[in-house]
Amino acid sequence: MSKETKKFKTESKQLLNLMINSIYTNKEIFLRELISNASDAIDKYHLLSLSDDKLEKTNDYEIHLEVDKKKRTITITDNGIGMTHDELIANIGTIAKSGTLEFLKNLKNKDMKDSDLIGQFGVGFYSAFMVSKKVEVLTKSAYSDIAYRWSSKGEEQFTIEEADKESRGTEIKLFLRKNEEDENYDEFIEDYKIQSLVKKYSNYVKYPITMEREKTIPRLDADGKEIENEYDTIIENETLNQMVPIWKKNKNEVDQKELNEFYRSQYYDYNDPSFTIWTNVEGLLTYKSIIFIPGKAPQNLYSDKYEKGLQLYAKGVFVMDKCKQLVPDYLRFIKGLVVSPDLNLNISREVLQHNRQLDKIQKNLEKKIINELSKTLKNDRDKYEEFWKEFGVNIKYGVYDNFGINKDLLKDILIFTTANEEKSVTLKEYVEKMPKDQKDIYYGSAHSKASLLASPQMDVLKSKGYDVLVLKDEIDEFMLQILNEYDKKHFKSINQGDLDLVDEKEKEDIKDLETKKEDLLSKIKDSLHNEVDEVKLSTRLTESPVCLVSGEGVSFEMEKVINQMPGDKDVKAKKILEINPQHELFQAIEKVYANNPESIEDYANLLYNQALLIEGLEIKDPVDFSNKMVKILIKAANLGDTDGTNSEEN
């Protein structure tokens, strides 16, 4: 048979350019693609040999790599099924078997990164042209006595001719491109680079991937002893891949020590994981996964540079390092891998089509992880609390995220510091310990338990023995707003204007007193020049003189958080100044107001600024506050003078 020159079918040049320049964004994956094709060819031969007596029964399979640095070639050889003349044209000569016109139309109208086209085009072989100026394929089918050589420079045409090859299988030879200003192709003929690419992308291909490598060994004398400082160089066929991945072993045969070593080496962590979750699912959706929860949160976990995701393998071939679709945002700290034979890859295998399979795997893994955390919370509280210190904020974010879609899944693994308990409590534990007359679940934002206990808003709650959740993180109030209730008990902030903590008689007494003191309360409000929305007598204060509470809507803590966010924001919580009518300070103000109503402004400002300080809010004019404080202290000192020098003024 003489050499044939054929043109690629369809709009091949245009399509081939897209294959080489648009679809593949990472040139080093050419080796992964060619090794994957070689593995597929061996798979096909092995399966056919089981039922076809014409084919030799063997397990001596191998994918061999050879590098010629002088000629700048890389050769990938397999002893798989091989190809006939017609199969060469069908599998390689025709880039896309169907739908090419529609495929091209889609590519013209959208960025490849957003392409949702399913990988039905069999174009992995053409990744070779990303690094090659020419590609030769020497192949012999297990069903033919004739071998063929296919050759192309990746342009409009290819040649095919009969060739000499004794054994079945396929040999692909790549003639590397010359180095360019921004591309170094020489690195692909270095042994270390080939080895690293095999380990990275094809480490778990089930057939040995071999390469001849030079090895220096000590020279031995006639008695078999090493001769000092004398060495021989030998050529050894070395297997580069591991072949049997940890997830293919029987789970019962892999101990935690081996899993820890795998985790540390694979994910570059000095610490052992705190949780290892091994899943094997078979059925309509088949996959295996090993999920690790780190012992310590990565330092960059909350930075923009941190990338979530799980490693993804399909049929033993590494597909991507960070598959984001498998990890919900709130579990971004998890590490691990997923292996599935069922996934639909897009044309380049570099990006998975966003599909229901991945969504289902993600949901399954999410439930599995939360179930494991729930069991740990129940059976090993200390271990769970260590986890919570590192990643509790993430779980809270999971409750808040997506308008609370996961709140029912997560609400029972939330734990809180509280005012009354030494150890943290779950919401279920809080509700179980509530006094019979307590209607709601109370919370307060504070930097620590001690500062919450010192808060004046705690007065009546402490007197009743009610416990209060201590909220220390910015996300906490937003999370509880989304939860809204637990076990039909609503969440209420101790800073809310109306807590409904006293009986009807006490309410009526306070209302009557407010009516009597209406002029004084109005004067205090007017003196503050719209700094507060309301001034009222308090039912919650028993020991403290004054406090500031928020009305309906945004709380003080939420006001601070929202206004710290990027963008022009000026969110204001409704401020209500509550005064303890039983406190001697209020009684002193009553006397001042009775004697000189106009002098009440200084006292009103002191009350308000005192409330701001207690609440941790900013005082607008600290100097004015200090001057008014000094003025009142001097006046108080003069009023209390006992030597008679100011008796006339008194």
Side-chain angles (χ1 to χ4, degrees), residues 138-140 145-149 161-167 171:
L138 178 61
T139 185
K140 183 180 180 182
D145 294 327
I146 304 174
Y148 295 93
R149 177 177 282 106
E161 61 184 323
E162 290 186 10
D164 294 324
K165 189 178 191 303
E166 293 184 4
S167 58
E171 175 185 296

Side-chain angles (χ1 to χ4, degrees), residues 14-278:
Q14 185 180 3
L15 186 55
L16 191 56
N17 284 334
L18 286 164
M19 298 302 133
I20 297 168
N21 301 314
S22 298
I23 295 176
Y24 292 95
T25 56
N26 179 10
K27 286 182 168 57
E28 67 180 24
I29 58 89
F30 78 92
L31 191 59
R32 176 192 74 184
E33 295 297 298
L34 298 179
I35 288 174
S36 297
N37 290 347
S39 177
D40 290 344
I42 295 174
D43 276 343
K44 188 173 182 181
Y45 178 85
H46 182 70
L47 289 171
L48 289 170
S49 70
L50 297 177
S51 57
D52 192 337
D53 293 335
K54 295 177 184 178
L55 301 180
E56 177 190 3
K57 307 294 188 293
T58 180
N59 284 314
D60 191 21
Y61 300 117
E62 181 182 1
I63 300 168
H64 186 70
L65 310 180
E66 184 180 343
V67 173
D68 188 325
K69 293 185 180 179
K70 290 182 179 179
K71 295 181 179 179
R72 299 183 76 253
T73 62
I74 303 171
T75 305
I76 300 97
T77 305
D78 69 71
N79 54 356
I81 192 66
M83 288 178 281
T84 64
H85 176 273
D86 291 343
E87 286 170 339
L88 260 177
I89 295 175
N91 295 337
I92 296 180
T94 304
I95 294 177
K97 295 181 182 179
S98 63
T100 306
L101 280 171
E102 188 63 30
F103 171 59
L104 286 173
K105 288 176 184 176
N106 276 287
L107 288 183
K108 289 176 183 176
N109 296 326
K110 65 196 298 186
D111 192 305
M112 274 306 306
K113 291 181 180 179
D114 298 324
S115 178
D116 59 357
L117 298 169
I118 302 173
Q120 299 297 322
F121 300 94
V123 296
F125 167 79
Y126 287 91
S127 64
F129 287 103
M130 291 190 298
V131 298
S132 309
K133 61 183 179 182
K134 178 184 175 183
V135 177
E136 287 184 357
V137 179
L138 178 61
T139 185
K140 183 180 180 182
S141 170
Y143 290 103
S144 175
D145 294 327
I146 304 174
Y148 295 93
R149 177 177 282 106
W150 179 99
S151 179
S152 177
K153 293 183 179 179
E155 296 172 350
E156 291 184 350
Q157 62 189 30
F158 61 90
T159 63
I160 187 168
E161 61 184 323
E162 290 186 10
D164 294 324
K165 189 178 191 303
E166 293 184 4
S167 58
R168 72 171 193 274
T170 301
E171 175 185 296
I172 300 174
K173 182 173 287 187
L174 313 181
F175 297 81
L176 292 185
R177 295 172 181 266
K178 291 181 180 179
N179 291 337
E180 299 169 6
E181 186 175 339
D182 56 346
E183 294 288 354
N184 176 22
Y185 295 101
D186 282 349
E187 66 173 338
F188 296 119
I189 53 174
E190 297 295 337
D191 288 358
Y192 79 89
K193 183 64 174 181
I194 296 293
Q195 187 175 20
S196 69
L197 292 181
V198 170
K199 186 171 180 62
K200 180 177 181 180
Y201 293 108
S202 307
N203 199 30
Y204 301 124
V205 170
K206 60 187 175 185
Y207 305 110
I209 303 168
T210 62
M211 185 169 70
E212 289 184 351
R213 303 188 69 188
E214 288 188 355
K215 202 170 186 179
T216 302
I217 60 172
R219 183 172 295 171
L220 305 179
D221 61 19
D223 297 325
K225 294 182 179 179
E226 293 183 6
I227 303 173
E228 189 175 353
N229 295 327
E230 291 191 31
Y231 300 91
D232 289 323
T233 299
I234 63 169
I235 303 296
E236 188 173 79
N237 198 36
E238 181 180 339
T239 299
L240 305 181
N241 61 321
Q242 187 175 328
M243 288 182 286
V244 182
I246 193 170
W247 60 81
K248 282 199 172 182
K249 297 179 181 180
N250 190 317
K251 184 178 178 181
N252 297 328
E253 296 173 356
V254 182
D255 59 20
Q256 191 59 48
K257 182 179 179 182
E258 185 177 353
L259 285 166
N260 289 347
E261 289 174 354
F262 174 80
Y263 167 79
R264 289 197 303 269
S265 64
Q266 194 79 1
Y267 304 106
Y268 309 106
D269 196 340
Y270 294 107
N271 302 300
D272 289 337
S274 58
F275 292 82
T276 303
I277 304 166
W278 186 311

Side-chain angles (χ1 to χ4, degrees), residues 342-601:
D342 299 335
L343 297 173
N344 291 322
L345 305 182
N346 81 344
I347 296 169
S348 69
R349 297 195 197 183
E350 289 185 272
V351 184
L352 278 171
Q353 182 198 19
H354 190 103
N355 58 35
R356 293 176 62 190
Q357 291 168 309
L358 283 182
D359 290 336
K360 287 180 180 178
I361 293 174
Q362 190 243 61
K363 285 297 179 187
N364 288 350
L365 292 178
E366 183 180 11
K367 289 178 182 176
K368 187 78 175 177
I369 293 166
I370 301 308
N371 184 53
E372 184 67 25
L373 292 173
S374 182
K375 286 194 297 184
T376 305
L377 174 60
K378 181 180 178 182
N379 301 322
D380 191 346
R381 189 63 166 257
D382 290 341
K383 181 179 179 180
Y384 186 81
E385 292 196 0
E386 286 300 314
F387 159 81
W388 189 260
K389 287 178 185 176
E390 299 295 326
F391 304 110
V393 170
N394 296 77
I395 303 301
K396 294 173 185 178
Y397 175 75
V399 175
Y400 173 76
D401 195 28
N402 289 320
F403 305 100
I405 193 171
N406 290 315
K407 66 180 182 180
D408 290 331
L409 177 67
L410 301 176
K411 64 184 180 183
D412 285 314
I413 63 169
L414 300 170
I415 58 174
F416 298 86
T417 299
T418 74
N420 293 352
E421 300 293 330
E422 291 299 319
K423 294 184 177 181
S424 60
V425 302
T426 64
L427 291 174
K428 182 180 179 182
E429 291 165 345
Y430 178 99
V431 169
E432 287 173 347
K433 292 183 179 182
M434 283 173 54
K436 290 183 178 180
D437 64 334
Q438 184 178 341
K439 300 175 184 177
D440 302 306
I441 300 172
Y442 297 104
Y443 66 86
S445 296
H447 296 298
S448 67
K449 179 176 178 175
S451 61
L452 181 77
L453 287 169
S455 170
Q457 287 90 338
M458 286 289 296
D459 282 3
V460 71
L461 292 158
K462 286 191 285 189
S463 70
K464 289 179 173 291
Y466 294 174
D467 205 356
V468 178
L469 306 179
V470 183
L471 307 189
K472 301 177 184 178
D473 295 320
E474 291 181 349
I475 188 70
D476 287 344
E477 280 204 46
F478 295 91
M479 173 192 69
L480 293 186
Q481 292 263 335
I482 288 291
L483 273 179
N484 188 38
E485 64 176 24
Y486 181 87
D487 194 22
K488 299 181 180 179
K489 306 289 191 299
H490 286 86
F491 293 98
K492 283 197 174 182
S493 169
I494 63 171
N495 287 334
Q496 280 182 234
D498 182 16
L499 285 185
D500 194 20
L501 289 171
V502 296
D503 59 33
E504 291 301 319
K505 184 177 185 309
E506 288 178 274
K507 288 181 186 177
E508 289 299 323
D509 290 344
I510 287 293
K511 281 184 180 180
D512 290 343
L513 188 58
E514 278 186 337
T515 301
K516 293 177 182 177
K517 305 297 180 182
E518 183 178 356
D519 290 343
L520 171 58
L521 298 176
S522 295
K523 185 65 176 178
I524 293 173
K525 182 178 182 299
D526 292 341
S527 299
L528 295 176
H529 306 293
N530 298 319
E531 289 292 332
V532 297
D533 297 275
E534 190 177 351
V535 177
K536 60 187 293 187
L537 299 181
S538 180
T539 58
R540 80 185 72 217
L541 299 175
T542 59
E543 299 177 4
S544 305
V546 67
C547 72
L548 202 61
V549 299
S550 59
E552 292 184 6
V554 179
S555 69
F556 299 139
E557 184 63 23
M558 293 172 76
E559 174 189 306
K560 284 190 285 187
V561 173
I562 293 171
N563 287 331
Q564 286 170 2
M565 293 178 180
D568 295 329
K569 297 180 181 68
D570 188 22
V571 175
K572 294 291 184 184
K574 183 180 179 181
K575 291 185 176 71
I576 300 172
L577 184 66
E578 290 195 2
I579 304 172
N580 182 356
Q582 306 303 321
H583 199 277
E584 57 186 357
L585 179 60
F586 180 68
Q587 295 164 9
I589 290 173
E590 284 185 293
K591 291 180 181 177
V592 170
Y593 180 70
N595 293 328
N596 185 5
E598 298 307 316
S599 66
I600 201 67
E601 184 168 341

